[in-house]
Amino acid sequence: MISTENREKVILFFESIDKYYGCKTEITEGLHIDTPDSDANAATWNMCEFELVRSAYRKQGERFMMEGEKMYYEISAARIIDFKQPKRHTYEFVEQYGVAVFRTTKIRFHSKY
């Protein structure tokens, strides 16, 4: 379960995500078994890039959505167990999908600022 402090940080992130509209957005996603801190070499990784054109929160299903022209990505709000901002314009979410199944999503915005 995500801490109250991190929950507030996630909400602030999505309330201000519109500042990244029009920015190149890089999403790196890793699927892990065991713990989210386990060896990154043992994870399955995917990466995509798109220009962020809109975002929304889907109440039914509790999903944060980000969309580009030909790309769509969702993060399950109900499954977030950790959230970090390791550097400026870079964010990391960890979702738990089973007892030992985790998805780490790293989002990097190539901001104009």
Side-chain angles (χ1 to χ4, degrees):
M1 172 145 256
I2 191 167
S3 70
T4 303
E5 179 184 347
N6 276 347
R7 180 185 316 276
E8 292 299 319
K9 289 178 183 177
V10 169
I11 291 168
L12 287 173
F13 166 73
F14 276 98
E15 286 178 344
S16 63
I17 195 170
D18 60 341
K19 69 183 175 189
Y20 294 117
Y21 287 5
C23 292
K24 178 180 169 186
T25 303
E26 179 182 299
I27 296 179
T28 306
E29 166 192 79
L31 296 174
H32 307 263
I33 296 177
D34 291 331
T35 69
D37 298 323
S38 59
D39 182 9
N41 292 315
T44 300
W45 292 96
N46 299 297
M47 198 218 25
C48 63
E49 292 180 346
F50 58 93
E51 184 178 301
L52 185 64
V53 295
R54 79 178 125 247
S55 62
Y57 182 74
R58 181 165 51 94
K59 286 184 181 182
Q60 187 162 352
E62 299 180 69
R63 302 288 194 261
F64 294 117
M65 304 177 299
M66 292 174 283
E67 188 174 348
E69 187 176 321
K70 293 186 176 185
M71 181 64 195
Y72 186 83
Y73 195 85
E74 290 188 338
I75 295 172
S76 173
R79 296 189 178 275
I80 296 172
I81 61 167
D82 196 15
F83 175 76
K84 294 178 184 131
Q85 184 178 2
K87 358 184 207 181
R88 191 170 184 213
H89 310 301
T90 303
Y91 305 88
E92 294 182 11
F93 295 84
V94 178
E95 299 160 89
Q96 186 169 8
Y97 281 90
V99 174
V101 180
F102 302 88
R103 179 172 81 161
T104 299
T105 301
K106 299 178 182 187
I107 303 170
R108 180 176 170 227
F109 297 101
H110 297 261
S111 178
K112 303 169 197 167
Y113 308 107

